[in-house]
Amino acid sequence: SVYAYYGARIVVPLIVPYLILRTKLYRNTVLCLRSLLIIIIVLLPLVLGFGKNPDVLFGRAKTVSVFYDQGTKLRLWELISQDGISAKPIITRFFHNRLYLYLQKIFRNYLVHFDGSYLLLKGDNSQPFQIPGMGILYIIDGIFLISGLVILFKNNNPGRSFFILFLLISIIPASLTFMVPSSNRTFNAVFPFAFFIALGIYWFNNLKKPLFMLAFLIAISYVLNFSFFLGKYFVDLPLNFSQNWNYGWREAALYSKKIERDYDNIIVSGKNGMPYIYFLFYNR
C-alpha cells in the first residue's frame, strides 16, 4: 500500500506497530525476523529511489503540505505587526510563533473531517472527488454511525481500540495538507466507518420490535440512497461536471496525432493542469 498512495506512508507505519503489540507478535522471534526481512525486500526499491531522489517518497506531498502554504507565514507576520514595536520581542514570539500556528492549523484541519456537513451533506470541496448533493456517507449512515459508536463504548467490544485508532490515524495525512476536507487523503477511514455503521445496523436489527418492518425500512432507505448516488454519478456528473474529470483531453490527444504531419508545431496550453500525460498515454 505504501507504493499506492502517499497517505499509506503515514498510516501504515503508525498502525503496524500497534498490531504487533496487540497480537503480541514480538514474542515469536523467528516470525518477526522473517517478516522484517520480507518488508525490507519489498520496500528496498522505494528506499533506493529515495536515496537517489528524496522527492520519490514525498515529492507530491510537499506541494500540498500545510508547511508549504504561505498563508500561515503571512498570518504570523500579520499578528506580529499588530503587536507593534511597543511589545517585547520575547513576549511576541511566545504568543505568535510558527509552531503554535502550524499546530493550530493542523488541529483545525483534523477536526473538519468529522463535520456532519462534510460526512453526510456536501462531501469533499475538490470537484473531482465530489458527488453533487452528497456527503462521503449516505444520510442514513449517520444514524447507524452514531448508534454504532454508542454501542462500541457501552459494550467492551474487542475490536474497539483498533477501529478507533484506525479512524484517528486515517485522518492524519489530510490534516497535514492545506486542502481540506479531503476524501481521497482519508480514504483509509472507510474501514472503521464501515465497521461502526455495520455495528449500528446490527444493533437496530436486534431491537425488540417487529424485526421484519425494521429491516424493511433500513433496506428501503439504503435502496433510495444508493439510487440517488447512481443518478448523480452516472447521469448528473457526465452531463454537468465533465470538465472536472478532464473530458476532452483524450479527444485532443488523438486529434493532434491525426493532424501532426500537417504542422511544424502543435502548441498545447497547460492552463487546466498537466496535459502531457494524456499525449503520452493515448499516443502510446
Side-chain angles (χ1 to χ4, degrees), residues 40-95:
I40 291 171
I41 293 171
V42 169
L43 295 182
L44 191 60
L46 196 63
V47 174
L48 292 175
F50 176 74
K52 293 178 180 178
N53 181 9
D55 285 347
V56 166
L57 198 60
F58 288 112
R60 164 68 177 153
K62 285 196 301 186
T63 61
V64 296
S65 167
V66 68
F67 305 107
Y68 184 82
D69 183 20
Q70 297 299 311
T72 304
K73 296 176 182 178
L74 293 172
R75 177 62 178 158
L76 176 62
W77 177 83
E78 181 185 7
L79 290 171
I80 293 174
S81 300
Q82 287 174 358
D83 284 350
I85 57 174
S86 59
K88 292 183 179 180
I90 189 169
I91 297 176
T92 299
R93 287 295 178 185
F94 179 79
F95 287 103

Side-chain angles (χ1 to χ4, degrees), residues 126-137:
S126 300
Q127 292 295 340
F129 308 111
Q130 185 183 55
I131 305 297
M134 287 190 66
I136 62 168
L137 303 175

Side-chain angles (χ1 to χ4, degrees), residues 107-116 118-119 171 180-182:
F107 185 64
R108 287 176 178 172
N109 289 351
Y110 190 90
L111 290 181
V112 78
H113 291 90
F114 296 99
D115 186 281
Y118 162 69
L119 291 175
I171 309 300
V180 292
S182 174

Side-chain angles (χ1 to χ4, degrees), residues 27-190:
R27 293 181 178 179
N28 191 330
T29 308
V30 175
L31 183 60
C32 279
L33 290 174
R34 188 186 303 161
S35 302
L36 183 63
L37 180 62
I38 293 171
I39 290 171
I40 291 171
I41 293 171
V42 169
L43 295 182
L44 191 60
L46 196 63
V47 174
L48 292 175
F50 176 74
K52 293 178 180 178
N53 181 9
D55 285 347
V56 166
L57 198 60
F58 288 112
R60 164 68 177 153
K62 285 196 301 186
T63 61
V64 296
S65 167
V66 68
F67 305 107
Y68 184 82
D69 183 20
Q70 297 299 311
T72 304
K73 296 176 182 178
L74 293 172
R75 177 62 178 158
L76 176 62
W77 177 83
E78 181 185 7
L79 290 171
I80 293 174
S81 300
Q82 287 174 358
D83 284 350
I85 57 174
S86 59
K88 292 183 179 180
I90 189 169
I91 297 176
T92 299
R93 287 295 178 185
F94 179 79
F95 287 103
H96 309 311
N97 58 78
R98 288 189 181 186
L99 178 62
Y100 172 73
L101 288 181
Y102 280 129
L103 288 176
Q104 185 185 57
K105 181 73 173 174
I106 291 169
F107 185 64
R108 287 176 178 172
N109 289 351
Y110 190 90
L111 290 181
V112 78
H113 291 90
F114 296 99
D115 186 281
S117 177
Y118 162 69
L119 291 175
L120 304 172
L121 300 175
K122 296 180 179 179
D124 200 324
N125 292 326
S126 300
Q127 292 295 340
F129 308 111
Q130 185 183 55
I131 305 297
M134 287 190 66
I136 62 168
L137 303 175
Y138 296 133
I139 291 179
I140 187 67
D141 284 336
I143 300 171
F144 301 123
L145 177 62
I146 294 170
S147 59
L149 286 168
V150 171
I151 295 303
L152 197 68
F153 282 100
K154 282 183 67 176
N155 305 326
N156 191 19
N157 190 291
R160 179 174 67 180
S161 59
F162 170 69
F163 281 103
I164 291 293
L165 183 70
F166 199 159
L167 176 62
L168 296 176
I169 289 175
S170 297
I171 309 300
I172 293 176
S175 66
L176 297 175
T177 72
F178 59 84
M179 301 168 68
V180 292
S182 174
S183 58
N184 59 320
R185 295 187 183 93
T186 56
F187 179 72
N188 288 294
V190 71

